[in-house]
Amino acid sequence: MLKKKNPWAWVPTLYFAEGLPYVAVMTLSLILYKQLGLSNAEITFYTSWLYLPWVIKPLWSPFVDIVKTKRWWIVTMQLLVGAAFGGVAFTIPASFWLQGSLFFFWIMAFSSATHDIAADGFYMLGLDQHQQAWFVGIRSTFYRLATIFGQGILVMIAGNLQVLFRNNIRYSWSLMFYGTAGLFIAFWLWHHYILPRPKEDKGMLYTGMADLRKGLQQTIVTFFTKMPVREVLVGILFMLLYRMPEGLLAKVSSLFLIDSTGAGGLGLSPQEYGLVQGTVGIIGLTLGGILGGMAAGRDGLKKWLWPMVCAITLPDMVYVYMSFALPESLMTVNVCVFVEQFGYGFGFTAYMLYLIYYSQGKYKTSHYALCTALMALSMMLPGLVAGALQEWVGYRMFFIIVMLFCSVTFLVSWFIKIDPEFGKQHSEESTEAGMMEES
């Protein structure tokens, strides 16, 4: 009889390993390319395409169930992520640094998306129902810690290395990525040893391609026919457009913080950026999400929808203020970013709960995966043009345009229908919301 592994030995490290490559692909790449001299239009266009693996993730998630075990997928993807980190580190000093680093960021993105599928599935196989509920908060916390580590600590390390090596940007970032590659090799070794081996974790090789194709087709058809046509259309528009202001803002706001004052930015150093966006901002985001969940759990989503709509849009005005005032005080910048991220965390709760609300029914797991694909697409599409728009109109006018697009969020929120009882202290919904938070 195999000795049962303590979940504390693998759940925290598994979800820390899940969060870190996502942060690297979505945030570290921005800072790296900005310091290497790419324009904002090029940065947002190239890096927004890296959302694609999360957009099309539902298309290949069935293969993770069919081929091999979820344990095998986890450790294999962690090794591949580590290799991708090493590849980025190797190509940064090379003459083909842009093509090479983007290639390895693509590998990292696809490996990370596949790791997400396997890890979330393994979580339900490796723990009983009581443990699943108990560790929901733990997994979410360590995912957030990975975000702080990636956006905060790793950016600070790169900045300190630049000081140490007399502003050798390429060498400093390369060393930081090599160190992260080593960290993932350690994750791979640890999880290869410590992850349990549930009897239920086995590939379903008896499932034929015809059955797989039929199941995927049925999932997609029922996704678009589960409600009246009008409600389906409104729901999809809500998923695509609720975060439009944030989709425009997300990448450009980071570039604004580190861009030179001569270009209209705040000129933060990597160390200052790591503190502002990677630490203070993430704390605000987390606190906003916690309070949003508590509010919706007490009174239901419908009652808190409009306060959450205001929370996710109105704090964007802090960037309008900063673009005009160009504050030199780091404390002022920290307060502004905290307010915006806190509002986003509180308002994002409505979006996540609506995805769960829309997914209810016979195929709720598959439908939720399709909802998260639309969620990724909602960030990818605005991001593709955000940098070009900013370069065309400047930071000040860009942030004003973001505020104008907040009207789209209000518009799509006006038309959605929500059961007044949805979200009110239903343990199943609360657990599922927590479990899906990182997707």
Side-chain angles (χ1 to χ4, degrees):
M1 183 176 178
L2 294 175
K3 184 179 178 181
K4 192 170 184 179
K5 303 293 178 64
N6 189 330
W8 280 103
W10 60 271
V11 172
T13 53
L14 178 63
Y15 281 90
F16 192 93
E18 181 175 310
L20 195 52
Y22 183 85
V23 174
V25 167
M26 296 303 167
T27 302
L28 293 184
S29 61
L30 293 175
I31 312 304
L32 169 66
Y33 290 141
K34 187 63 178 178
Q35 289 207 306
L36 293 181
L38 288 186
S39 68
N40 287 1
E42 291 172 320
I43 293 170
T44 57
F45 181 79
Y46 291 143
T47 59
S48 290
W49 278 110
L50 297 174
Y51 277 110
L52 186 60
W54 284 275
V55 174
I56 63 176
K57 183 171 68 172
L59 299 181
W60 82 82
S61 59
F63 291 96
V64 179
D65 286 327
I66 294 171
V67 181
K68 297 288 188 178
T69 64
K70 292 179 178 62
R71 189 185 196 278
W72 181 89
W73 282 103
I74 288 170
V75 295
T76 302
M77 291 304 105
Q78 287 178 1
L79 183 60
L80 196 55
V81 166
F85 271 115
V88 172
F90 177 77
T91 55
I92 287 174
S95 59
F96 54 91
W97 60 271
L98 179 58
Q99 299 91 331
S101 61
L102 279 174
F103 172 76
F104 285 110
F105 274 129
W106 268 99
I107 292 178
M108 193 183 303
F110 274 98
S111 302
S112 178
T114 306
H115 183 276
D116 292 353
I117 299 167
D120 292 342
F122 187 84
Y123 178 86
M124 291 183 280
L125 296 178
L127 302 175
D128 59 37
Q129 288 187 356
H130 171 72
Q131 290 173 324
Q132 289 176 34
W134 176 262
F135 278 92
V136 161
I138 302 301
R139 61 182 263 180
S140 178
T141 298
F142 276 85
Y143 190 93
R144 294 297 185 199
L145 288 175
T147 305
I148 294 174
F149 182 77
Q151 290 187 201
I153 304 301
L154 290 184
V155 176
M156 290 180 182
I157 289 173
N160 288 328
L161 288 173
Q162 289 173 31
V163 174
L164 181 63
F165 295 110
R166 299 181 180 179
N167 209 33
N168 190 327
I169 293 174
R170 294 181 185 273
Y171 189 58
S172 301
W173 279 96
S174 182
L175 283 179
M176 188 276 290
F177 276 109
Y178 273 128
T180 312
L183 177 62
F184 261 85
I185 292 174
F187 280 139
W188 168 65
L189 291 171
W190 175 248
H191 291 133
H192 189 274
Y193 165 73
I194 203 65
L195 286 180
R197 299 178 184 271
K199 292 181 180 179
E200 299 86 355
D201 186 22
K202 52 189 176 182
M204 297 181 292
L205 296 178
Y206 54 83
T207 303
M209 289 300 296
D211 292 335
L212 175 62
R213 189 164 50 247
K214 181 180 178 182
L216 183 60
Q217 180 181 3
Q218 192 171 23
T219 296
I220 295 174
V221 170
T222 54
F223 183 83
F224 291 102
T225 58
K226 64 188 303 175
M227 296 179 180
V229 175
R230 180 187 177 279
E231 290 185 36
V232 170
L233 180 60
V234 169
I236 292 173
L237 287 175
F238 180 86
M239 294 179 219
L240 288 175
L241 300 177
Y242 180 80
R243 300 171 75 195
M244 177 176 277
E246 190 65 25
L248 290 169
L249 185 70
K251 293 183 180 296
V252 173
S253 62
S254 293
L255 298 174
F256 167 73
L257 294 175
I258 63 175
D259 216 343
S260 66
T261 53
L266 297 187
L268 299 185
S269 68
Q271 297 93 321
E272 291 171 328
Y273 175 89
L275 173 64
V276 172
Q277 190 80 335
T279 306
V280 174
I282 296 300
I283 292 172
L285 178 70
T286 303
L287 290 176
I290 291 172
L291 289 178
M294 291 171 62
R298 186 186 65 183
D299 300 317
L301 172 59
K302 187 175 180 65
K303 181 175 180 178
W304 282 95
L305 176 64
W306 288 108
M308 288 178 177
V309 170
C310 293
I312 203 171
T313 54
L314 299 184
D316 292 347
M317 291 184 68
V318 301
Y319 281 98
V320 177
Y321 160 74
M322 288 194 291
S323 66
F324 279 89
L326 297 178
E328 297 181 0
S329 168
L330 191 61
M331 177 62 71
T332 301
V333 178
N334 273 310
V335 171
C336 288
V337 172
F338 179 88
V339 168
E340 189 269 333
Q341 287 292 292
F342 179 88
Y344 179 71
F346 189 82
F348 186 61
T349 304
Y351 186 83
M352 293 301 295
L353 285 175
Y354 183 77
L355 299 193
I356 295 171
Y357 178 75
Y358 189 93
S359 303
Q360 293 179 114
K362 182 179 179 181
Y363 301 99
K364 63 180 179 181
T365 301
S366 300
H367 286 178
Y368 189 87
L370 290 173
C371 287
T372 58
L374 291 173
M375 176 175 69
L377 188 63
S378 75
M379 295 297 285
M380 173 182 165
L381 295 178
L384 289 171
V385 300
L389 177 61
Q390 181 277 317
E391 288 188 345
W392 183 37
V393 301
Y395 281 115
R396 291 176 177 177
M397 184 55 66
F398 174 82
F399 292 131
I400 291 173
I401 291 173
V402 169
M403 290 305 306
L404 293 177
F405 271 108
C406 290
S407 60
V408 176
T409 303
F410 280 83
L411 184 64
V412 294
S413 300
W414 177 265
F415 288 101
I416 62 170
K417 292 184 177 180
I418 302 171
D419 184 345
E421 296 300 311
F422 177 75
K424 287 185 179 180
Q425 295 182 343
H426 297 313
S427 59
E428 181 180 351
E429 291 165 1
S430 302
T431 301
E432 189 170 3
M435 290 175 62
M436 299 297 187
E437 182 178 357
E438 303 91 2
S439 299

